[in-house]
Amino acid sequence: MQSNTVERKQDESNRHSRLSVSPDERTRDDLEDSRYRIGFLRRTTQLLSRYGIETYGIAPVPAEERLETRWYQLFFVWFSSCMNLLAFSTGAAGPAFFSLGIRDSLAIIVIVDLVCCLLPAFLWVLLFFSGFLGISMYVSAVFGPKLGMRAMVQARFSWGYFGAIIPAVLNVFSLEGFLILNCIIGGQTIASLSSHLDDTLGIVILGIISLVVTFCGYRVIHWFESVAWIPNVIAFITMLAVGYPQLRENLSIPVPPATPTNVISFASFLTSNIIGWCPMIPDYGVYHSPNASSIFIYTYLGFFVSNVTGQALGAAFAAAAPSVPAWNAGFDDSSSAGGLLHSVLLPTGTFGKILTALVALSIASACAPTMYTFSNSFMAIATWFAAVPRWVYILISEGILIPVAIIGAKKFYATFVDILNIIGYWSSVFSAIILTEHVLFRRASFSEDQYPITTWASYTLLPSGIPAVVAFVCACGALVPFMSQAWYVGPVARQGSGDVGVFVGFVVGAIVYALARSLEKLRHKKMGKAGAH
């Protein structure tokens, strides 16, 4: 009976997603749904659906199916994704890489996280002042329940059908890169438990956990995220209890005054860390009822509480490590946040080792959503990709993840980190374009009039995407002189400005897009074209 209900709901979903407004849209919807008619894929997909595995594609979820009212899930999906070793290592970068003292690091962490995760009270007034810091995350969170569209599908309403291929491809590479990096960090943490262990074991286990959770789909991911945070919170509380004397003693140690360059660069680093989530946030609310106030409260608290806690602890222990030989040895010359965590927990014996292992394995709480959005983004690249079921792309991601992570952990980890640092740059420009389109040209409304959802796969009825592509190119060009990375320092950054590329990219992207889109609208008006949204 349950399997029949699941199949009936999916058939109804497919009928809703095929609302036809033009021949080319009908072709795209039919091609996407043809995945249920392709021999082996059809039979496998039907079998999986009988066991409750999500097989829904990237077509918008109809409003009548967005009924989930457990909005607290929107808290836990981001709380678990950030309340882990990854946030700990992000905060540790303040003292370890930017030479900041504990007080300076904590002040920057609190201020940046407050603004980055907060919806400013006056949307219009603060649009270009702090939009990239808060509004883009809020809008990203609301898009899923309000429109029922995944991030890369919703992007078509500003980037156009063909233009949206650019962020979709970038997202595919970025997310797979994050997956690989996350598994390497987890593998290194497992390896720190014993000289008889290496990175490979942890990488394989993490990869399998992430695969199982993601393969089951949306609802299982939300369930997993509701419990995955528990061992991390226990571990962090234990670390505070064990390391409090050393942390308190470290507060009295004098440190050199913070330079503006290091302060700005660390703030930019933290901002990039949070804004990098924006291209995936809508994917985890597409089945939830669109209650805007609840969406904001739970999403904001999920991000803020987890980030400020994990990052503050990372900064505190990294700052104290040089004065505690055992911690410093575990930190391994500021290169192993997992080793630092394990060294702090060493006095607790076997309990500490168990906690370290659980913290390492709970990195799957960040990997599972990443792998899920990887599959959605892959399907959004082109029509023929959307004709392949999501579970195929999840297997592809897993097939890339494990071997590359195993090799990368030993061969090119540092280079890998440097390359992934550029993700924050394109994410800021992407968010600027999405936000500007929503506020200025869609009147900050989610109505059918502003977002005609039935046109989601029609390249003739979607915007041309030219303004978005122009803005993206201009913003990327403008931010290069302001970049400051291990492999490249721009001429402006060399003058002592710090890395402000993410800020410049957002501002330039928003301004250029607003101008280009306005010109396009004016041109369409003069030509009498009223249909292009």
Side-chain angles (χ1 to χ4, degrees):
M1 178 66 69
Q2 184 178 2
S3 63
N4 292 336
T5 302
V6 172
E7 290 180 5
R8 185 168 61 253
K9 285 192 67 177
Q10 289 173 341
D11 289 340
E12 290 173 358
S13 298
N14 293 335
R15 285 198 297 272
H16 284 301
S17 68
R18 290 197 298 267
L19 296 173
S20 179
V21 296
S22 68
D24 58 285
E25 180 193 355
R26 186 185 303 114
T27 299
R28 282 172 176 77
D29 286 344
D30 289 342
L31 277 173
E32 183 188 352
D33 292 335
S34 70
R35 65 183 182 278
Y36 297 106
R37 307 188 191 100
I38 303 176
F40 171 75
L41 294 181
R42 174 181 177 275
R43 291 191 299 272
T44 304
T45 302
Q46 288 180 338
L47 177 63
L48 292 174
S49 69
R50 292 193 185 100
Y51 288 95
I53 304 298
E54 183 189 8
T55 58
Y56 199 92
I58 58 171
V61 177
E64 55 268 28
E65 293 186 23
R66 283 176 253 149
L67 303 175
E68 180 61 72
T69 56
R70 290 177 293 179
W71 291 296
Y72 66 83
Q73 291 180 335
L74 300 177
F75 168 84
F76 283 116
V77 71
W78 305 120
F79 182 79
S80 288
S81 295
C82 299
M83 186 69 169
N84 50 38
L85 188 58
L86 305 177
F88 184 86
S89 61
T90 300
F97 298 109
F98 296 99
S99 303
L100 297 172
I102 180 58
R103 289 186 173 85
D104 294 325
S105 297
L106 291 180
I108 296 170
I109 287 170
V110 172
I111 293 172
V112 171
D113 285 348
L114 269 172
V115 181
C116 282
C117 303
L118 179 68
L119 170 67
F122 302 101
L123 185 70
W124 288 89
V125 176
L126 297 180
L127 172 62
F128 290 106
F129 177 67
S130 60
F132 73 100
L133 296 176
I135 303 174
S136 56
M137 182 164 290
Y138 167 75
V139 172
S140 294
V142 174
F143 271 138
K146 287 289 188 181
L147 302 177
M149 289 191 288
R150 276 77 176 178
M152 292 301 114
V153 173
Q154 190 280 325
R156 295 176 180 178
F157 286 83
S158 50
W159 288 75
Y161 184 85
F162 296 108
I165 294 174
I166 296 174
V169 170
L170 288 173
N171 215 29
V172 165
F173 282 101
S174 299
L175 294 175
E176 189 65 17
F178 267 129
L179 273 172
I180 294 168
L181 183 59
N182 292 347
C183 283
I184 291 175
I185 293 174
Q188 291 175 338
T189 305
I190 292 289
S192 69
L193 292 172
S194 171
S195 58
H196 300 292
L197 299 175
D198 62 6
D199 307 335
T200 302
L201 176 64
I203 289 171
V204 172
I205 295 176
L206 265 175
I208 292 174
I209 294 174
S210 303
L211 171 66
V212 171
V213 173
T214 310
F215 196 86
C216 293
Y218 183 94
R219 288 177 175 81
V220 173
I221 290 175
H222 274 292
W223 171 83
F224 177 72
E225 300 295 345
S226 69
V227 298
W229 57 273
I230 296 174
N232 295 321
V233 171
I234 295 174
F236 287 156
I237 292 174
T238 305
M239 290 177 68
L240 277 175
V242 172
Y244 176 74
Q246 292 89 335
L247 295 179
R248 184 176 181 179
E249 183 179 340
N250 183 63
L251 290 175
S252 60
I253 298 177
V255 295
T259 65
T261 298
N262 289 340
V263 169
I264 293 172
S265 294
F266 185 48
S268 177
F269 178 72
L270 295 175
T271 302
S272 298
N273 175 68
I274 294 180
I275 205 170
W277 291 98
C278 288
M280 59 187 291
I281 292 176
D283 293 18
Y284 303 94
V286 293
Y287 290 102
H288 282 72
S289 179
N291 183 319
S293 60
S294 296
I295 296 167
F296 162 64
I297 292 170
Y298 285 117
T299 302
Y300 172 75
L301 290 177
F303 272 106
F304 176 72
V305 175
S306 58
N307 276 287
V308 77
T309 302
Q311 292 170 5
L313 287 173
F317 282 100
S323 60
V324 184
W327 295 3
N328 204 34
F331 204 15
D332 192 18
D333 195 24
S334 304
S335 65
S336 177
L340 174 60
L341 180 143
H342 178 232
S343 64
V344 174
L345 292 173
L346 271 178
T348 62
T350 303
F351 178 66
K353 290 189 175 183
I354 294 174
L355 279 181
T356 301
L358 291 175
V359 168
L361 296 178
S362 69
I363 290 179
S365 63
C367 293
T370 305
M371 187 178 289
Y372 182 82
T373 298
F374 169 91
S375 63
N376 290 335
S377 299
F378 219 130
M379 297 171 74
I381 292 176
T383 303
W384 52 89
F385 289 150
V388 178
R390 175 185 289 107
W391 56 268
V392 174
Y393 295 111
I394 294 172
L395 293 178
I396 291 174
S397 175
E398 182 76 2
I400 297 171
L401 167 63
I402 292 181
V404 175
I406 291 173
I407 297 172
K410 298 175 174 60
K411 300 275 186 182
F412 51 87
Y413 175 73
T415 303
F416 207 69
V417 172
D418 292 338
I419 293 173
L420 287 178
N421 282 338
I422 68 173
I423 291 174
Y425 297 125
W426 84 260
S427 295
S428 70
V429 181
F430 170 82
S431 300
I433 293 171
I434 297 291
L435 177 63
T436 305
E437 171 70 24
H438 178 68
V439 174
L440 298 185
F441 302 102
R442 307 280 173 175
R443 302 176 184 177
S445 170
F446 294 97
S447 67
E448 178 67 23
D449 182 57
Q450 295 299 327
Y451 287 96
I453 297 175
T454 54
T455 68
W456 72 277
S458 173
Y459 62 81
T460 58
L461 295 179
L462 288 167
S464 69
I466 295 175
V469 175
V470 170
F472 185 74
V473 172
C474 291
C476 289
L479 67 82
V480 170
F482 298 88
M483 290 172 58
S484 179
Q485 297 293 328
W487 46 273
Y488 174 77
V489 179
V492 177
R494 281 199 296 268
Q495 301 303 315
S497 70
D499 188 346
V500 294
V502 66
F503 307 109
V504 173
F506 180 90
V507 173
V508 173
I511 293 175
V512 173
Y513 181 76
L515 294 174
R517 187 79 162 105
S518 298
L519 290 175
E520 183 184 54
K521 287 274 191 180
L522 181 62
R523 178 173 173 271
H524 285 163
K525 185 177 181 180
K526 288 183 178 180
M527 296 176 64
K529 293 183 179 180
H533 284 271

